[in-house]
């Protein structure tokens, strides 16, 4: 980008930008808009830590002007897509290309590509999984991962195409299907691929398709239950598409995977169960709390040398002790013969079904609003056209001197007047949709809105 126009029509030089230290922040140009949407509105920016192969920061953040931040939860955007969505929704008449052209989204680090700052102030090379040069592009995998095609189970493919990505997917040696978007190392499909998650959030007709280590997501506060701007509750937040995925079903698979492992796999069982506990800890969802207790019970049994098989059925006489390593099951007792958690499978569906219902309801409301807006706007224009035609015909009648012609015009004016009266009456009926489609009569919905 050689230069850009500012809001006053001048030219802003966005070439040869000065390097910025990691996690540096600032206001306005060249890394944030100025005087948008109104004069005096200065946006803020912040650089991340990770550095792409081209030397620019892989992560950067954009923050609203103080005047707008109060009315928007969080006030900031962790990705270009999130900022684009906000501008499109809040300022639909603004050309989104012009908006991003008014400042530089890329922030130069002045450092070699694929470098990461570390705690002591130095730098370390990103630990990309190295492969022999001859192995690269094996079966289309840029990371040279020979087992890449096995990482995506058939049921996960869903016959959906992935959305084009010009952020991480343009990086050399990065494969969307098997490289974690946070650490760039390949994920492991062992034990059902328990250690990573694929984002299958729908983006139009496609899915996101990026994968991420769950441990990386937990460390970066993008998985589990997290407060603050993101606000997660047993969910995974994808930094590439801003999509959210519930983690209860994944945690349930962890428990099932653990139960299927042979009895001599205590170490991997403990690792899987610990991951499940981390994903669900702190959740306010009923299903998550129930499953957390179940996984913690299985973990406690494992520590005491008890099989974790059939841990969904609490029918053994196992009493938790009061040792310090009991975690969330301290003083938790399972009485012999009780049939606890038989409703677990139904509870596990509750949150997912609730979220799906609310999502469908939101889509339904948006559709109803758009339909009502279109029909009411069309009818309003129709009424204005009729009234203009009536005014024209009245004017002709007033200036007509021929009696026979006047008689014809008079009849026309009376018919037009009656037409306008009927259409106004219809418009009053249509306005009742303001109470919601559910409170509007079926006759009115069918007659006026085609439903």
């Amino acid at each position: 980008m050689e230069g850009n126009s500012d809001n006053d029509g001048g030219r802003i030089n966005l070439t040869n930008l000065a390097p910025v230290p990691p996690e540096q922040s600032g206001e306005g140009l060249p890394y944030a808009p100025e005087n948008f949407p109104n004069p005096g509105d200065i946006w803020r920016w912040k650089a991340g830590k990770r550095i792409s192969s081209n030397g620019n920061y892989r992560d950067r953040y954009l923050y609203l002007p103080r005047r707008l931040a109060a009315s928007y939860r969080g006030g900031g955007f962790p990705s270009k897509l999130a900022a684009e969505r906000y501008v499109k929704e809040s300022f639909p008449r603004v050309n989104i290309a012009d908006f991003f052209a008014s400042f530089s989204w890329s922030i130069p680090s002045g450092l070699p590509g694929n470098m990461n700052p570390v705690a002591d102030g130095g730098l370390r090379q990103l630990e990309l999984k190295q492969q022999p040069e001859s192995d690269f592009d094996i079966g289309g995998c840029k990371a040279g991962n020979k087992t890449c095609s096995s990482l995506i189970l058939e049921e996960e493919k869903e016959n959906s195409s992935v959305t084009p990505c010009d952020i991480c997917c343009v990086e050399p040696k990065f494969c969307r299907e098997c490289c974690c978007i946070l650490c760039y190392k390949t994920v492991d499909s062992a034990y059902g691929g328990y250690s990573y998650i694929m984002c299958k959030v729908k983006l139009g007709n496609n899915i996101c398709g990026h994968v991420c280590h769950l441990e990386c997501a937990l460390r970066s506060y993008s998985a589990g239950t997290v407060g603050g701007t993101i606000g997660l509750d047993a969910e995974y937040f994808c930094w590439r598409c801003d999509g959210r995925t519930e983690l209860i079903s994944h945690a349930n698979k962890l428990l099932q995977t653990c139960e299927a492992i042979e009895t001599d796999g205590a170490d991997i069982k403990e690792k899987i169960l610990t991951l499940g506990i981390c994903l669900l800890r702190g959740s306010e969802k009923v299903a998550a709390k129930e499953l957390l207790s179940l996984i913690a019970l299985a973990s406690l049994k494992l520590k005491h040398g008890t099989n974790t098989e059939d841990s969904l059925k609490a029918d053994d006489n196992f009493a938790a002790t009061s040792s310090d390593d009991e975690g969330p099951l301290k003083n938790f007792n399972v009485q012999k013969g009780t049939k606890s958690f038989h409703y677990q499978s139904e509870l596990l569906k509750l949150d997912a079904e609730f979220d799906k219902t609310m999502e469908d309801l939101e889509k339904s409301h948006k559709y109803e609003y758009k339909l009502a807006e279109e029909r009411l706007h069309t009818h309003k224009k129709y009424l204005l056209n009729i009234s203009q035609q009536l005014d024209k015909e009245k004017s002709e009648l007033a200036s007509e001197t021929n009696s026979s012609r006047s008689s014809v015009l008079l009849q026309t004016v009376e018919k037009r007047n009656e037409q306008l009266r009927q259409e106004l009456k219809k418009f009053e009926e249509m306005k009742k949709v303001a109470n919601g489609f559910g409170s509007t009569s079926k006759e009115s919905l069918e007659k006026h809105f085609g439903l």
Side-chain angles (χ1 to χ4, degrees):
M1 187 182 299
E2 296 182 356
N4 299 78
S5 298
D6 62 14
N7 293 343
D8 299 324
R11 304 296 294 177
I12 300 173
N13 186 10
L14 296 182
T15 60
N16 300 321
L17 297 174
V20 171
E23 297 189 297
Q24 178 71 35
S25 61
E27 293 187 344
L29 294 171
Y31 305 122
E34 289 186 358
N35 301 317
F36 177 87
N38 296 328
D41 288 337
I42 309 298
W43 295 53
R44 293 173 294 129
W45 57 269
K46 182 180 179 181
K49 290 183 178 180
R50 300 183 303 159
I51 302 169
S52 299
S53 60
N54 59 9
N56 294 330
Y57 286 103
R58 189 183 309 281
D59 306 309
R60 64 99 78 205
Y61 309 93
L62 189 65
Y63 300 93
L64 289 167
R66 290 175 176 80
R67 182 179 66 85
L68 299 177
S71 60
Y72 182 78
R73 185 173 65 88
F77 309 100
S79 69
K80 190 173 185 179
L81 181 59
E84 179 177 337
R85 286 173 179 166
Y86 171 80
V87 173
K88 285 183 176 180
E89 292 175 2
S90 302
F91 312 104
R93 295 184 179 180
V94 170
N95 185 304
I96 194 65
D98 291 343
F99 171 79
F100 282 108
S102 68
F103 65 100
S104 173
W105 181 264
S106 299
I107 301 179
S109 67
L111 300 171
N114 290 333
M115 300 291 288
N116 265 0
V118 293
D120 59 6
L123 297 171
R124 64 173 174 81
Q125 187 73 23
L126 279 176
E127 298 175 359
L128 295 173
K129 193 177 185 66
Q130 297 296 323
Q131 301 285 349
E133 288 297 324
S134 58
D135 286 346
F136 281 104
D137 206 23
I138 296 175
C141 177
K142 293 194 298 179
N145 182 8
K146 294 180 180 180
T147 61
C148 177
S149 59
S150 67
L151 295 178
I152 304 177
L153 303 177
E154 289 299 320
E155 59 268 24
E156 289 182 331
K157 292 181 180 177
E158 298 179 339
N159 296 319
S160 297
S161 300
V162 295
T163 302
C165 168
D166 59 357
I167 304 175
C168 56
C169 292
V170 297
E171 296 286 340
K173 303 180 183 180
F174 178 89
C175 175
R176 183 202 313 239
E177 296 184 352
C178 66
C179 292
C180 172
I181 62 172
L182 295 180
C183 73
Y184 277 39
K185 295 179 182 179
T186 55
V187 297
D188 189 354
S189 60
Y191 301 105
Y194 80 93
S195 61
Y196 74 94
I197 187 168
M198 173 190 288
C199 178
K200 294 184 283 185
V201 171
K202 283 282 188 178
L203 301 174
N205 295 325
N206 302 327
I207 63 170
C208 173
H210 288 88
V211 297
C212 180
H213 287 119
L214 284 169
E215 287 190 6
C216 291
L218 286 166
R219 290 193 187 101
S220 64
Y221 302 102
S222 54
T225 300
V226 182
T229 303
I230 297 179
L232 302 177
D233 189 347
E235 296 170 295
Y236 163 68
F237 177 84
C238 177
W239 286 99
R240 281 295 167 264
C241 72
D242 294 343
R244 295 167 184 261
T245 302
E246 60 86 17
L247 291 175
I248 299 176
S249 57
H250 188 89
N252 187 44
K253 290 180 182 178
L254 295 181
L255 184 56
Q256 295 174 358
T257 298
C258 189
E259 291 172 349
I261 297 175
E262 298 298 329
T263 55
D264 57 352
D267 290 342
I268 187 62
K269 282 185 177 182
E270 182 177 357
K271 189 173 183 179
I272 293 174
L273 292 173
T274 300
L275 178 59
I277 291 173
C278 291
L279 296 179
L280 301 178
R281 182 184 291 127
S283 174
E284 294 298 323
K285 296 178 179 179
V286 174
K289 292 179 179 179
E290 295 285 356
L291 185 57
L292 175 60
S293 296
L294 199 58
I295 294 176
L297 175 59
S299 177
L300 189 58
K301 286 183 177 182
L302 186 65
K303 290 178 181 179
H304 287 272
T306 308
N307 281 340
T308 56
E309 294 182 8
D310 300 323
S311 61
L312 283 171
K313 301 175 183 178
D315 56 0
D316 57 324
N317 189 17
F318 182 88
T321 65
S322 57
S323 61
D324 293 337
D325 62 350
E326 293 165 355
L329 280 183
K330 189 173 183 179
N331 299 324
F332 180 87
N333 293 306
V334 180
Q335 300 298 328
K336 184 174 181 179
T338 58
K339 300 295 181 180
S340 302
F341 305 113
H342 279 229
Y343 49 88
Q344 186 66 36
S345 60
E346 293 301 319
L347 284 175
L348 288 174
K349 293 189 241 175
L350 280 180
D351 287 299
E353 290 177 349
F354 173 81
D355 292 340
K356 181 65 167 56
T357 299
M358 297 309 296
E359 180 181 344
D360 290 343
L361 179 60
E362 182 179 10
K363 290 180 180 178
S364 175
H365 283 175
K366 287 182 178 179
Y367 169 76
E368 291 176 359
Y369 178 85
K370 184 176 180 181
L371 177 60
E373 182 184 35
E374 290 177 351
R375 294 296 176 92
L376 287 168
H377 183 68
T378 299
H379 201 72
K380 185 182 78 170
K381 290 179 62 178
Y382 182 53
L383 288 171
L384 292 175
N385 290 336
I386 294 177
S387 65
Q388 291 172 0
Q389 186 64 28
L390 179 59
D391 290 340
K392 180 181 177 182
E393 290 166 350
K394 282 184 176 182
S395 178
E396 292 178 359
L397 176 60
S399 59
E400 184 59 53
T401 58
N402 187 299
S403 59
S404 59
R405 174 66 177 163
S406 297
S407 177
V408 173
L409 286 174
L410 179 59
Q411 292 179 6
T412 301
V413 168
E414 289 176 347
K415 288 181 180 179
R416 190 74 64 193
N417 193 64
E418 177 61 21
Q419 180 188 12
L420 181 58
R421 190 180 69 83
Q422 292 297 329
E423 294 301 329
L424 283 170
K425 183 178 178 182
K426 184 187 296 186
F427 189 72
E428 289 298 319
E429 293 179 2
M430 295 176 69
K431 282 165 47 179
K432 294 179 181 179
V433 78
N435 296 323
F437 276 30
S439 301
T440 306
S441 67
K442 294 181 180 179
E443 294 78 7
S444 179
L445 290 177
E446 181 178 359
K447 180 179 177 181
H448 304 307
F449 298 95
L451 298 176

